[in-house]
Amino acid sequence: MNRLLATTLAAAVALSTTTAFAGGPVLIEEEAEVVAEKPASSVGVLPLLLIPIILCVALCGGDDEEGSRIPPKD
């Protein structure tokens, strides 16, 4: 009787432990966000073209002085 009880208990423990760990542990891995970095030298052409144009407009400037429209006296 003890042998039958021990065998039944061992079988029940073996079956319950295998079904308890059947799926295994659940591991959730956090994915790192991948950000594509631009190279430092990718400034672009537009700012390189605009800087000399802005400097020329500021330094050359237009002549706002208009010539006198009154004819000189003879």
Side-chain angles (χ1 to χ4, degrees), residues 31-50:
E31 295 182 18
E33 186 175 327
V34 178
V35 178
E37 295 183 18
K38 293 183 179 179
S41 63
S42 68
V43 173
V45 178
L46 188 61
L48 296 177
L49 292 175
L50 288 177

Side-chain angles (χ1 to χ4, degrees), residues 5-60:
L5 183 61
T7 306
T8 308
L9 183 61
V13 169
L15 287 175
S16 66
T17 58
T18 56
T19 56
F21 295 111
V26 177
L27 301 176
I28 300 173
E29 295 181 16
E30 294 183 20
E31 295 182 18
E33 186 175 327
V34 178
V35 178
E37 295 183 18
K38 293 183 179 179
S41 63
S42 68
V43 173
V45 178
L46 188 61
L48 296 177
L49 292 175
L50 288 177
I51 291 173
I53 293 172
I54 292 171
L55 285 175
C56 181
V57 168
L59 296 177
C60 298

